């Protein structure tokens, strides 16, 4: 009895995770792959099997490539500055500041605020006709930018929402890693006469490597799946991502195909292609980061 | 759960003595032997008091309402569960904007001519019934309310532009679309900084819906590129945009709301329910500036309104149809109008004194009920809607018109729209 207990119970203890993962993670993933092989309309009686036809259509679909470009553009505009700024903020927070905890909590505040509320406020700020940002730009003589019509402008607007929300969060993760760096290493460098800048680049950054890899991989996964911000940025509430899909991301296109076009098979194909792209990009980022930060 | 057990026990006890039909009703038979009818609605249908009235008159019926706040999730649920084959209410509300999608799945709804009670002829306005009758003559929904179109306009801005501003005087401006756009030219020349209308898509949709044939012909063939009416409307609207008549505000967006507050446009295509929207968006500071008149370019039009349908999934289709027929009778619909302001689609209800006497204080105490009743009778015919009609309007033509407002060449945008429509119709 007790031997059986010793053999079986560890598996029982970890089972809940795997059962849940199987039910709400793995099963939908595989079922999506299955659905993507059909011409499956919502409400259709019997979907027809069409093999890889959905994928073939997808690779010929200009709107998909446009969505992919938008996704990467927004991802680069958000993740790259975000991580640089996060490391800089972490370095500042790591200094001897007055009311340290207050500052540290402060950078986390945007993360606590509701994403939807935040996006609506940013949407108002970036309003093309009556938005505050354009009022300021006009006042300083740059002139208004049509944040809805202009592809690059809309990407900047959306990336600024992402940065506002996630920079502080990432800064705190980096800060925790910075504090784990042994003091002795810094002291030794100090004795050798290394400047603060030199110490940052030669000691702090290399020792942050595992954390930076984590931060970059998670922001890749999140960034490539961006949905809420572009969805709510559309003034009329549609899922087109702008009048000419200027800021329609892949997930937004997926949503539009599934819930406006009611074409579940095609949407599933988009989901799977996106899944593979996310894995590939996260893998590349992992390798690059591991090599670059030595 | 406990009720189930009790009814099973009672059934077991009784069935020995008498032959009752226990259990055959399934989930729709409630424990006390009543037939339970579910009705799924969205926004406000104004039926709450009517349900009590119906239950009092029909002791064997128990009504449960499933109410969704907004139309969009309600219809998403409707289409998902049509696909799943179960889970829908006995009566499902259907909004006009989703009609084309519902009609393309007409086979999954009951023909109310067949299962419903015998109704008096001509209960509804003809175009209202025509829109939900299939090509082979099946009626799959009873009309509830409508949204007849009139014109709302800013009296003060009209006066400033030297245009007539009293409800009778402006009628000449709103006689045809040509006179409408010509007045727009005159207006923008006199009042700088204020546009003539709010959004190109809003005007285009109203124009488009007046034609007998729209995006599809009656054999469900897409005729976007060959129907001359569509191109003519497109040219008229985009020309007006080019001259600066549009305030370039996407309807129902935040900036559109701001546009109302700041008075950035002088006219608005106004279905009956829009009066409430104008009042809440323009706010008390603009009270008395907006007016509405019983004129609309090229006749009339309709935007919005709903139907009650009985999906084939329903286990109590006959009784559900009876309830739906009762709810959509003129007497009941007038009560719903009084409760929530839903504008009735029944011919008799349009002559009811309660409706004709209704006034709107925000629009200078205009007799709004009588005004929209007049407009409802001006609608000529229901346009035939093909399978992807709603999607083409929402996701293809409206964005394409907005892109023209953002500065895109109208000819290029037209090409994009035609291609988009072809893709959506696939």
């Amino acid at each position: 009895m007790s031997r059986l207990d010793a053999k079986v119970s560890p598996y029982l203890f970890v089972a809940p995770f795997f059962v849940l993962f199987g039910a709400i993670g793995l099963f939908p993933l595989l079922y999506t792959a299955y659905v993507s092989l059909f011409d499956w309309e919502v409400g259709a009686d019997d979907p027809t099997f069409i093999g890889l036809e959905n994928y073939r259509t997808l690779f010929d679909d200009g709107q998909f490539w446009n969505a992919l470009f938008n996704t990467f553009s927004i991802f680069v505009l958000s993740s790259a500055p975000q991580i640089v700024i996060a490391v800089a903020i972490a370095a500042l927070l790591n200094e001897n500041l007055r009311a340290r905890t207050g500052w540290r909590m402060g950078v986390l505040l945007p993360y606590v605020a509701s994403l939807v509320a935040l996006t609506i406020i940013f949407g108002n700020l970036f309003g093309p006709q009556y938005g505050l940002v354009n009022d300021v730009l006009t006042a300083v003589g740059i002139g208004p930018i049509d944040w809805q019509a202009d592809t690059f402008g809309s990407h900047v607007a959306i990336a600024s929402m992402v940065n506002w929300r996630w920079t502080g969060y990432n800064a705190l993760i980096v800060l925790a890693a910075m504090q784990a760096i042994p003091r002795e290493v810094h002291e030794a460098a100090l004795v050798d006469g290394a400047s603060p800048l030199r110490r940052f680049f030669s000691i702090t950054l290399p020792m942050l490597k595992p954390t930076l890899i984590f931060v970059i991989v998670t922001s890749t996964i999140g960034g490539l799946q961006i949905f809420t911000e572009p969805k709510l940025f559309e003034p009329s509430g549609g899922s087109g991502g702008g009048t000419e899909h200027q800021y329609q991301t892949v997930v937004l296109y997926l949503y539009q195909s599934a819930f406006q076009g009611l074409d579940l098979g095609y949407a599933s194909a988009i989901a799977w292609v996106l899944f593979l792209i996310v894995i590939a990009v996260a893998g590349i980022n992992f390798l690059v980061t591991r090599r670059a930060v030595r | 759960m406990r009720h189930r057990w009790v009814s099973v026990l009672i059934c077991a006890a009784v069935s020995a003595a008498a032959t009752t039909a226990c259990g055959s009703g399934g989930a729709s038979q409630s424990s006390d032997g009543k037939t339970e009818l579910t009705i799924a609605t969205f926004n406000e249908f104004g039926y709450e008091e009517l349900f009590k009235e119906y239950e009092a008159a029909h002791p064997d019926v128990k009504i449960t309402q499933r109410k969704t706040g907004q139309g969009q999730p309600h219809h998403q649920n409707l289409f998902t569960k049509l696909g799943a084959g179960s889970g829908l209410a006995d009566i499902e509300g259907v909004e006009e904007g989703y009609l084309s999608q519902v009609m393309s799945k007409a086979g999954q709804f009951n023909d109310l001519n067949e299962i419903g009670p015998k109704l008096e002829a001509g209960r509804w306005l003809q175009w209202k019934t025509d829109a939900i009758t299939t090509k082979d003559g099946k009626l799959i929904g009873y009309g509830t309310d409508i949204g007849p179109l009139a014109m709302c306009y800013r009296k003060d801005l009209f006066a400033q532009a030297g245009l007539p501003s009293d409800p009778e005087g402006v009628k000449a401006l709103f006689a045809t679309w040509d006179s409408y756009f010509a007045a727009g030219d005159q207006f923008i020349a006199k009042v700088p900084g204020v546009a003539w209308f709010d959004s190109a898509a809003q005007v285009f949709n109203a124009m488009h819906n007046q034609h007998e044939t729209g995006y599809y012909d009656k054999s469900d063939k897409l005729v976007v590129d060959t129907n001359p009416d569509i191109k003519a409307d497109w040219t008229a609207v985009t020309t007006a945009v080019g001259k600066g008549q549009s305030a370039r505000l996407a309807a129902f967006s935040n900036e559109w709301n701001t546009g109302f507050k700041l008075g950035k446009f002088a006219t608005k295509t106004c279905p009956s329910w829009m009066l409430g929207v104008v009042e809440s968006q323009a706010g008390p500071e603009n009270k008395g500036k907006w007016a509405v008149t019983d004129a609309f370019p090229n006749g009339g039009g309709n935007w919005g309104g709903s139907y009650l349908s009985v999906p084939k999934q329903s286990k109590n289709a006959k009784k559900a149809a009876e309830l739906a027929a009762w709810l959509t009778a003129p007497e009941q619909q007038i009560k719903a109008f009084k409760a929530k302001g839903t504008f009735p689609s029944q011919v008799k209800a349009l002559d009811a004194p309660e409706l004709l006497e209704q006034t709107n204080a925000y629009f200078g105490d205009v007799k709004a009920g009588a005004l929209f009743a007049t407009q409802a009778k001006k609608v000529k015919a229901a346009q035939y809607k093909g399978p992807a009609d709603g999607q083409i309007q929402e996701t293809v033509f409206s964005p394409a018109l907005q892109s023209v407002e953002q500065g895109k060449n109208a000819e290029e945008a037209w090409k994009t729209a035609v291609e988009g429509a072809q893709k959506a119709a696939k």
Side-chain angles (χ1 to χ4, degrees):
Chain A
M1 193 61 191
S2 66
R3 269 178 62 193
L4 190 70
D5 183 41
K7 264 191 175 167
V8 174
S9 37
Y11 293 103
L12 281 180
F13 288 138
V14 295
F17 167 76
F18 286 98
V19 169
L20 274 180
F21 174 74
I24 59 177
L26 197 61
F27 170 71
L29 189 71
L30 296 177
Y31 194 66
T32 308
Y34 173 73
V35 172
S36 74
L37 302 177
F38 290 82
D39 182 11
W40 197 311
E41 197 205 338
V42 175
D45 297 327
D46 48 336
T48 32
F49 180 82
I50 51 168
L52 295 175
E53 191 57 40
N54 278 328
Y55 292 91
R56 220 165 287 143
T57 319
L58 187 63
F59 291 129
D60 282 339
D61 185 352
Q63 201 178 339
F64 170 71
W65 293 110
N66 170 60
L68 198 61
F69 164 76
N70 291 342
T71 308
F72 272 97
S73 165
I74 294 171
F75 163 63
V76 171
L77 283 174
S78 54
S79 292
Q82 190 187 117
I83 286 162
V84 174
I85 296 170
V87 173
I89 291 178
L92 288 176
L93 288 175
N94 202 21
E95 296 299 313
N96 261 327
L97 294 171
R98 223 172 269 185
R100 231 175 1 188
T101 318
W103 288 109
R104 287 177 188 173
M105 292 312 292
V107 297
L108 200 62
L109 274 182
Y111 180 70
V112 179
S114 148
L115 175 59
V116 172
L118 187 93
T119 312
I120 291 172
I121 292 171
F122 268 79
N124 267 334
L125 292 178
F126 284 103
Q129 293 192 48
Y130 314 123
L132 188 66
V133 176
N134 271 348
D135 287 350
V136 172
L137 288 182
T138 313
V140 299
I142 298 174
I145 294 170
D146 194 333
W147 301 105
Q148 289 289 336
D150 187 52
T151 304
F152 185 68
S154 67
H155 292 186
V156 169
I158 291 169
S160 71
M161 299 178 204
V162 181
N163 288 335
W164 172 258
R165 185 172 157 84
W166 290 98
T167 307
Y169 172 87
N170 283 332
L172 280 199
I173 293 181
V174 175
L175 175 64
M178 263 181 200
Q179 289 178 332
I181 297 173
R183 190 164 270 277
E184 293 80 5
V185 191
H186 275 289
E187 279 166 359
L190 204 59
V191 170
D192 287 347
S195 70
L197 219 55
R198 178 74 199 267
R199 272 182 283 139
F200 176 78
F201 282 107
S202 300
I203 299 173
T204 312
L205 221 45
M207 297 197 85
L208 283 180
K209 192 169 80 176
T211 312
L212 284 181
I213 290 176
F214 170 78
V215 168
I216 287 170
V217 169
T218 50
S219 67
T220 306
I221 294 172
L224 292 182
Q225 295 182 28
I226 187 167
F227 170 72
T228 313
E229 289 89 346
K231 171 84 174 97
L232 292 175
F233 191 54
E234 170 105 44
S236 53
S239 322
T243 54
E244 296 180 274
H245 316 300
Q246 289 95 327
Y247 49 91
Q248 185 176 49
T249 59
V250 176
V251 183
L252 198 53
Y253 186 37
L254 186 163
Y255 178 86
Q256 190 184 33
S257 303
F259 298 111
Q260 280 189 324
L262 303 178
D263 193 348
L264 289 186
Y266 198 57
S268 300
I270 299 178
W272 254 86
V273 171
L274 177 65
F275 174 65
L276 296 176
I277 291 173
V278 169
I279 289 184
V281 175
I284 292 170
N285 277 350
F286 171 75
L287 293 175
V288 169
T289 321
R290 204 172 54 171
R291 192 175 281 231
V293 186
R294 220 179 262 273
Chain B
M1 204 60 180
R2 195 187 283 160
H3 288 287
R4 256 276 154 74
W5 272 110
V6 172
S7 71
V8 167
L9 285 175
I10 293 173
C11 273
V14 172
S15 58
T19 51
T20 50
C22 286
S24 66
S28 51
Q29 196 91 20
S30 62
S31 55
D32 43 9
K34 287 185 180 179
T35 307
E36 189 183 341
L37 293 176
T38 47
I39 171 166
T41 62
F42 49 91
N43 299 341
E44 297 290 353
F45 274 59
Y47 284 165
E48 280 76 7
E49 290 304 313
L50 294 172
F51 292 149
K52 288 180 199 155
E53 207 181 315
Y54 192 79
E55 283 178 336
H58 299 78
D60 59 327
V61 171
K62 185 177 173 296
I63 300 170
T64 311
Q65 187 183 15
R66 294 185 203 157
K67 199 166 164 180
T68 312
Q70 287 181 335
Q72 212 237 341
H74 166 87
H75 290 89
Q76 215 157 64
N77 177 62
L78 172 66
F79 294 124
T80 311
K81 288 184 176 158
L82 272 183
S86 66
L88 286 177
D90 294 305
I91 301 175
E92 287 278 340
V94 171
E95 211 257 340
E96 176 252 1
Y98 297 88
L99 207 53
S100 60
Q101 278 164 291
V102 168
M103 294 302 278
S104 69
K105 296 176 174 52
Q108 304 195 37
F109 292 91
N110 278 300
D111 178 6
L112 296 173
N113 285 331
E114 191 188 310
I115 67 152
K118 185 101 185 74
L119 298 181
E120 70 276 14
R123 173 186 279 192
W124 292 278
L125 292 161
Q126 191 57 42
W127 56 267
K128 177 75 177 172
T129 315
D130 285 349
I132 199 153
T133 307
T134 62
K135 273 179 278 188
D136 48 355
K138 289 187 179 119
L139 178 74
I140 60 166
Y142 290 138
T144 60
D145 58 325
I146 49 176
L149 282 165
M151 260 303 170
C152 291
Y153 65 98
R154 284 275 301 248
K155 270 188 294 191
D156 56 327
L157 295 174
F158 270 47
Q160 204 181 321
L163 295 168
S165 62
D166 60 295
E168 285 308 309
V170 293
K171 279 186 183 173
L173 309 179
F174 301 146
T176 64
W177 288 110
D178 288 340
S179 68
Y180 176 73
F181 290 123
D185 285 337
Q186 224 177 318
F187 178 87
I188 53 169
K190 293 271 175 58
V191 188
V194 180
W196 181 238
F197 52 83
D198 55 337
S199 140
Q202 294 276 296
V203 175
F204 179 85
N205 291 343
M207 293 171 90
H208 176 78
N209 281 319
Q210 287 177 336
H211 303 302
E212 206 185 319
T213 307
Y215 298 128
Y216 283 90
D217 69 8
K218 289 210 168 63
S219 55
D220 280 342
K221 190 171 157 274
L222 191 73
V223 292
V224 174
D225 50 342
T226 50
N227 184 347
D229 292 336
I230 301 180
K231 189 66 203 280
D233 291 349
W234 176 276
T235 310
V237 174
T238 51
T239 308
V241 170
K243 289 176 182 164
Q245 288 194 19
S246 171
R248 304 181 291 124
L249 300 164
F252 305 106
S253 67
N254 279 320
E255 295 224 313
W256 187 70
N257 297 342
T258 311
F260 267 117
K261 282 234 159 49
L262 301 177
K264 288 291 184 184
F265 46 89
T267 65
K268 172 83 204 80
T269 52
C270 252
S272 43
W273 48 266
M274 189 64 84
L275 298 193
V277 178
V278 174
E279 180 173 350
S280 63
Q281 294 310 338
E285 65 265 37
N286 288 314
K287 190 177 173 183
K289 290 181 183 168
W290 279 97
V292 60
T293 182
D294 53 337
F296 197 78
N298 286 12
N302 178 68
W303 180 12
S306 302
Y307 296 89
L308 295 182
S309 65
V310 180
K312 284 203 171 144
Q313 294 176 12
S314 167
K315 293 201 181 73
N316 293 305
K318 253 193 140 60
K319 284 194 170 174
E322 270 167 38
L323 170 60
W326 182 83
L327 285 169
T328 55
E331 304 79 44
Q332 275 64 254
Q333 207 61 51
I334 276 292
K335 288 179 189 161
F337 170 73
K338 274 159 72 183
K340 295 290 175 192
T342 54
F343 201 84
S345 62
Q346 292 75 4
V347 178
K348 265 194 190 158
L350 292 179
D351 295 329
E354 292 99 320
L355 182 98
L356 295 177
E357 278 155 23
Q358 187 227 26
T359 56
N360 187 311
Y362 191 82
F363 284 78
D365 288 318
V366 65
K367 285 205 164 183
L371 186 149
F372 284 107
T374 313
Q375 289 305 101
K377 289 171 189 163
K378 285 186 192 166
V379 181
K380 282 180 215 126
Q383 182 181 81
Y384 176 73
K385 299 282 182 191
D389 226 295
Q391 205 193 337
I392 292 175
Q393 173 170 318
E394 282 303 307
T395 68
V396 178
F397 267 78
S398 297
L401 283 161
Q402 279 168 32
S403 75
V404 175
E405 293 178 310
Q406 288 173 344
K408 188 171 173 162
N409 177 289
E411 236 2 86
E412 278 172 38
W414 168 255
K415 276 186 206 126
T416 314
V418 170
E419 278 164 24
Q422 281 158 352
K423 191 177 162 193
K426 231 182 242 170

